[in-house]
Amino acid sequence: MQALYAQLLVGLINGSFYALLSLGLAVIFGMLNIINFAHGALYMMGAFCAYFLLSLTGLGYWWALIIAPVVVGIFGMVLERTMLQWLAGLDHLYGLLLTFGIALIVQGVFQNYFGSSGLPYAIPDQLRGGMNLGFMFLPIYRGWVVIFSLVVCLATWFLIEKTQLGAYLRAATENPTLVRAFGINVPRMITLTYGLGVGLAALAGVLSAPINQVRPLMGADLIIVVFAVVVIGGMGSIMGSIITGFALGVIEGLTKYFYPEASNTVVFVLMVLVLLVKPTGLTGRAA
């Protein structure tokens, strides 16, 4: 039973990263109609930003949680203004190819300077150690990752679905001409939305750094699974991405316990089954 609980914990932690990353992808696709294949590279940049802050300036984990998403978000906004904005109205394939090229360039630059091995990043002192729950030993940092990710995901959902700013964002994507008539700067809102999406990826990178180390290819290891999570939840569905991310992490953990050989493919098997039954995903809507 302890092994089962341990795998469930691993599944929840992986689900936290799946949820944060797929949430950023869902925000970008739902608001901008861009399939952002560079998401994994930006997740990696968030982890490296935390590493640089600690090694070069002495700013630790808590500062990295704030600064890294802002820095990577600004980088993402520059990408949107200089490249992605010219793809508006074109087929999704163009955005996919462009962001795939950006991902290869970013990963190649970091791999050239830092190699493929991981760089250590220490757990903050306040989150070291663990708690004995009776049925298992829970490392405090891993519990923090799950709770913090859930809070961020729900806060993002509330911002977009339940606030006036979120209503402006949704309206700007559905009828930009009408929104401009009300004096709202639609291009700026689109740029800020892309910055928010990639900032969530960078935040996931900071959370992952003490667990998985900082590696140039850490995003490439996750991005395909995260795309599968987004497809299962429904492209552009924010709540669908959150629920599916955590659920698939748990399912993956259970699979590692009961049938380890299928743990790397269970997500894709589920994606195929869902698409056969409901092509728009569990919570997606038809175009």
Side-chain angles (χ1 to χ4, degrees):
M1 290 304 295
Q2 288 183 343
L4 175 60
Y5 293 140
Q7 288 300 332
L8 281 174
L9 176 60
V10 171
L12 273 176
I13 293 168
N14 288 338
S16 301
F17 298 135
Y18 296 162
L20 270 178
L21 286 166
S22 61
L23 175 62
L25 278 175
V27 168
I28 292 171
F29 183 80
M31 302 291 115
L32 280 70
N33 261 349
I34 294 173
I35 301 175
N36 186 35
F37 210 91
H39 217 61
L42 296 167
Y43 159 78
M44 175 269 294
M45 286 183 65
F48 266 98
C49 188
Y51 176 80
F52 292 146
L53 285 171
L54 182 60
S55 60
L56 299 179
T57 67
L59 295 176
Y61 176 83
W62 302 109
W63 282 104
L65 283 177
I66 301 171
I67 297 175
V70 173
V71 171
V72 178
I74 292 173
F75 177 77
M77 289 190 284
V78 172
L79 287 180
E80 196 280 331
R81 283 287 86 195
T82 56
M83 300 182 189
L84 296 177
Q85 68 161 332
W86 308 111
L87 303 180
L90 298 180
D91 188 271
H92 292 151
L93 180 62
Y94 293 99
L96 176 63
L97 291 174
L98 177 59
T99 54
F100 180 64
I102 292 171
L104 292 179
I105 292 170
V106 172
Q107 289 174 1
V109 169
F110 277 87
Q111 194 171 10
N112 182 60
Y113 284 100
F114 299 99
S116 299
S117 59
L119 300 170
Y121 189 85
I123 295 174
D125 294 335
Q126 299 89 335
L127 300 176
R128 292 181 184 272
M131 299 170 56
N132 190 349
L133 302 180
F135 58 91
M136 69 173 294
F137 185 80
L138 174 66
I140 293 176
Y141 183 76
R142 283 159 172 76
W144 153 260
V145 168
V146 174
I147 294 172
F148 183 71
S149 300
L150 183 60
V151 170
V152 171
C153 288
L154 293 177
T156 305
W157 170 82
F158 183 84
L159 173 68
I160 293 177
E161 297 291 340
K162 301 296 182 181
T163 66
Q164 187 176 33
L165 175 61
Y168 287 153
L169 287 173
R170 297 194 305 275
T173 59
E174 294 175 6
N175 195 335
T177 304
L178 180 62
V179 174
R180 285 193 188 96
F182 286 95
I184 296 173
N185 191 326
V186 173
R188 182 180 300 168
M189 292 189 70
I190 291 175
T191 303
L192 291 174
T193 301
Y194 189 81
L196 171 64
V198 301
L200 289 171
L203 182 62
V206 177
L207 292 173
S208 174
I211 298 176
N212 299 317
Q213 293 193 323
V214 181
R215 296 177 291 112
L217 298 180
M218 61 188 294
D221 298 337
L222 273 181
I223 190 63
I224 301 300
V225 177
V226 172
F227 267 106
V229 171
V230 175
V231 170
I232 293 171
M235 292 293 287
S237 172
I238 294 173
M239 184 54 72
S241 295
I242 297 171
I243 295 172
T244 307
F246 280 101
L248 288 183
V250 172
I251 291 172
E252 191 178 63
L254 290 174
T255 307
K256 286 180 181 178
Y257 178 78
F258 290 107
Y259 191 57
E261 293 83 356
S263 60
N264 292 328
T265 58
V266 63
V267 173
F268 304 104
V269 171
L270 288 173
M271 180 182 71
V272 171
L273 294 175
V274 168
L275 291 180
L276 286 174
V277 177
K278 196 171 187 293
T280 57
L282 295 176
T283 59
R285 295 188 298 269

